[in-house]
Every structure is written in C-alpha cells, then in structure tokens.
Amino acid sequence: MSKFYTKITSKLHKFIDAQKIFFVATAPNSGRINLSPKGMDSFRVLSENRVLWLNVTGSGNETAAHLLENERITIMFCSFEKAPNILRLYGKGKEIKEGDASWNELIQLFPETPGTRQIFDITIDSAQTSCGMSIPYFEFKGERNDLNNWAAEQGKEGIKKYWTDKNQQSIDGLPTHILE
C-alpha cells in the first residue's frame, strides 16, 4: 500500500499543489513533538529534493527551536477530496530569516503576507505515499483571513513585540533565536 520515493516526482508535485492544507511535524531530542496544520499560499516545491515553507507569526515557534537542535522535519499532505492519498516528505530543514543572505531571493516566491516570520528551507531525503482510504471527505470553503487581519493590525512593531513576548523559546524552553 505504501510506496517510498527518493525525490518529489512530477505526480507528487501535482498532488502537493492541489492540497489546501498540510501538516508540519518536528521534535526536539528530548521533549514534546510538535504537529501543526498549515495553510495559505505558503508552500513551494523548488526541485525534486528541495521545498520551501513560508511560516507566519503564531502562538509558538516550535519548528525553529527543533530545527536548530536536530534539523529533522516531516511534512504531510492528505487528500480530503477526490482520490484518497497521503504523502509524507521527510527531510532536514533550516530557518531563513529576514536579513539572511538568501531571504530577498526566496521571499519573492511567496505573496506578501502580514506577519511573515521566517522561511524554512527543507532538503527532502525521501517521500512516502500511503493509501488514505480511511480519511473522510471534507469540502474546502475558503481561506481564513483571521491571522492575516490580526498581523496587519499589529504592524511590524507589534509583531516584533509579540515575538519578544511569545516566540523566543519553545514550550520545552529551547531557544528559537527569532530576534537574532
């Protein structure tokens, strides 16, 4: 039922592009595993073994802390419409922040998004598909604008204050270096 790949094939790329939601999982060497749903127009396949994910300000910054410790990341796409399918991308990621050498080049690949926090540059080691035949159908009704509206209302200074107050360490106390 499951099949492993060493790269993102054109068929897998097409599947990724059709999904409205994906899930990101990371874990520290010791502590809580983080699994978060993601949406918006925030994922790009750059090549067979490289993807980017634009991350926006949120309640935590677990991914940054975990990747600083061990670089491991799994991204899962799941079909809720049409044919069943689950796709997991396994890889190693690094954070790119505004001011980093590749920021200006990579940020241009995404729409301007209020509250943009960082881009995660992920090298894919392998991909795995599985059947997804037990996944229920859900109908996509549209994007939520709540987070974008909140971030726009905060402005750059308000976002930076939020990072200072809420995003400098993981829930397990690991540093995120968001302000460095």
Side-chain angles (χ1 to χ4, degrees), residues 25-34 62-74 91-94 125 174-175:
T26 59
N29 294 333
S30 176
R32 293 173 181 91
I33 296 168
N34 185 59
E62 303 304 297
T63 303
H66 296 170
L67 294 184
L68 282 170
E69 191 172 87
N70 61 41
E71 299 182 330
R72 297 175 303 155
I73 189 167
T74 300
K92 304 243 185 265
K94 66 178 181 177
D125 301 324
L174 298 172

Side-chain angles (χ1 to χ4, degrees), residues 147-163:
L147 186 58
N148 286 341
N149 293 341
W150 172 85
E153 190 176 296
Q154 301 304 305
K156 284 196 174 259
E157 288 307 311
I159 292 293
K160 192 162 263 191
K161 179 173 180 355
Y162 188 87
W163 292 354

Side-chain angles (χ1 to χ4, degrees), residues 71-152:
E71 299 182 330
R72 297 175 303 155
I73 189 167
T74 300
I75 298 172
M76 185 184 83
F77 295 88
C78 182
S79 177
F80 293 105
E81 302 171 328
K82 300 180 184 172
N85 191 27
I86 297 171
L87 169 63
R88 292 176 184 89
L89 302 176
Y90 302 99
K92 304 243 185 265
K94 66 178 181 177
E95 173 188 45
I96 299 169
K97 295 185 281 197
E98 189 172 2
D100 289 349
S102 58
W103 176 264
N104 288 335
E105 172 193 348
L106 298 178
I107 195 64
Q108 293 179 33
L109 300 174
F110 299 96
E112 189 173 327
T113 306
T116 292
R117 184 167 55 191
Q118 67 250 106
I119 296 170
F120 290 104
D121 190 343
I122 304 158
T123 301
I124 303 301
D125 301 324
S126 64
Q128 177 203 20
T129 57
S130 55
C131 69
M133 291 189 292
S134 67
I135 304 304
Y137 288 105
F138 284 97
E139 183 180 337
F140 177 72
K141 292 189 176 189
E143 296 285 351
R144 294 179 196 253
N145 289 316
D146 299 0
L147 186 58
N148 286 341
N149 293 341
W150 172 85

